[in-house]
Amino acid sequence: MRPGPRNLITDVAGLKVGNAQDDRLKSGTTVLTADAPFTASVHVMGGAPGTRETDLLAPDKSVASVDALVLSGGSAFGLEACSGVVEGLRAMGRGFVVGSAIVPIVPGAILFDLTNGGAKDWDTNPYSALGRRALETASALFEIGTTGAGTGATTATLKGGLGSASLVFDNGITVGALVAANPFGAVTTPGSRHFFAAPYEMGDEFAGLGPDPTKGHGLPFQTKTMHGTGEGANTTIAIVATDAALDKAQCQRMAIAAHDGMARAVVPSHTPMDGDLVFAAAMGAKPLKNPLPDLSLIGHGAALCLARAIARAVYAATPKPGDLLPSWQDLSAP
């Protein structure tokens, strides 16, 4: 296996990603979409999720496909980003047709970034406009780091951010991940620039430092409440995708497997204070030749991509005025 040509989720053919942010607000929105509806599902493992229209992604629900998926900052306010995406898609004539009506299907999830030092004195919810702007900028090339839904993200010790990664298997199937990393826990080992995800790094995609050679990485217990960014200021939300032909149940299994990557990259993860969630999307271009082994491989690849994407999100984050935590780039070399 190898990274795709962009090392982004858009190496899965047909997918596009758009970002929009407000630097004064220290928050933003990220949208994943395509030119045609795609199959999707979701799995939640955090204790404090914030979501919109995720029930319809269950395998037993009648909606077969979605038009976009949204990751946003803003806590409950950020769910309005989905409304802006719905408006934009409707203007494009995109959505589920019911008689004379067109209804875009846009599930979304949010992270908490309301106490990150950004200005939150707005009177009108800004997230609908951010969602529509992110949709309108969607393309195969996009930035990672301090952008989109990762604009105001933080970890226990460092700035978080938006990350992405991809893999192409020898059988031709491509898998990718997109993540807004804002966890309660840490992404680097205590007192170090080494990433917990280092064993899964490919090339030098997040500095190539390798694993931390010391032991006892889980202690001390690094969390945001210990570093001043506030209890509840958490959640890692992600999308994993493939060009394989998966149904909703298989997509859900892919999402479940991908959570392993979150646990490899964030310590601790899936806490009661996080709303950790993974969407899974399938473009359907490549039928599975051996369904069970192929699905297992896709799930494994999704976990690898998500772990790498989380590390890349923190690695690519850049310092901004008013930050409460340093970025990884701020740290001096060991």
Side-chain angles (χ1 to χ4, degrees):
M1 64 181 76
R2 64 191 186 282
R6 303 182 188 94
N7 203 15
L8 300 173
I9 196 171
T10 48
D11 287 326
V12 175
L15 289 179
K16 299 183 289 185
V17 170
N19 290 318
Q21 62 273 340
D22 183 326
D23 289 333
R24 179 176 175 273
L25 192 68
K26 283 189 179 292
S27 189
T29 296
T30 296
V31 176
L32 179 137
T33 189
D35 292 330
F38 52 91
T39 305
S41 192
V42 67
H43 189 66
V44 181
M45 288 189 68
T51 62
R52 170 170 160 159
E53 291 202 309
T54 50
D55 281 355
L56 59 79
L57 299 177
D60 64 320
K61 300 303 186 289
S62 58
V63 171
S65 58
V66 305
D67 297 289
L69 296 168
V70 174
L71 307 178
S72 184
S75 188
F77 303 105
L79 292 174
E80 274 301 296
C82 298
S83 296
V85 176
V86 167
E87 290 175 358
L89 288 167
R90 183 174 180 269
M92 299 173 188
R94 292 280 309 279
F96 184 70
V97 178
V98 185
S100 60
I102 298 176
V103 184
I105 307 299
V106 183
I110 50 85
L111 56 81
F112 188 101
D113 59 2
L114 299 181
T115 59
N116 63 3
K120 306 297 193 294
D121 55 352
W122 40 266
D123 294 320
T124 300
N125 189 320
Y127 287 95
S128 180
L130 286 170
R132 184 154 186 174
R133 181 149 51 94
L135 173 70
E136 291 170 350
T137 64
S139 69
L141 291 173
F142 62 94
E143 293 184 358
I144 63 171
T146 306
T147 187
T151 298
T154 56
T155 76
T157 58
L158 298 169
K159 287 189 70 171
L162 187 78
S164 193
S166 68
L167 279 177
V168 181
F169 294 111
D170 291 342
N171 63 7
I173 289 174
T174 299
V175 175
L178 176 69
V179 64
N182 183 62
F184 182 62
V187 175
T188 56
T189 59
S192 153
R193 301 169 77 233
H194 292 268
F195 290 95
F196 282 113
Y200 312 102
E201 184 176 15
M202 305 191 81
D204 295 334
E205 60 187 348
F206 42 91
L209 298 180
D212 190 331
T214 63
K215 297 180 180 180
H217 296 160
L219 297 172
F221 197 63
Q222 301 180 106
T223 65
K224 282 184 178 176
T225 53
M226 294 173 61
H227 295 88
T229 47
E231 185 175 355
N234 316 307
T235 295
T236 296
I237 46 178
I239 304 168
V240 293
T242 182
D243 53 4
L246 306 183
D247 59 25
K248 286 173 71 177
Q250 291 169 320
C251 273
Q252 187 179 64
R253 179 52 53 186
M254 179 186 181
I256 291 168
H259 273 282
D260 289 353
M262 199 178 295
R264 294 168 187 169
V266 180
V267 178
S269 60
H270 305 132
T271 75
M273 287 74 71
D274 286 290
D276 294 344
L277 170 151
V278 178
F279 291 110
M283 299 303 290
K286 297 178 180 177
L288 301 184
K289 296 179 180 179
N290 301 291
L292 290 179
D294 286 352
L295 184 58
S296 298
L297 182 64
I298 288 168
H300 172 59
L304 292 175
C305 286
L306 183 49
R308 294 162 52 224
I310 291 169
R312 294 189 78 208
V314 173
Y315 173 67
T318 52
K320 299 289 183 181
D323 286 347
L324 300 181
L325 289 173
S327 69
W328 187 93
Q329 303 287 347
D330 288 326
L331 301 180
S332 59

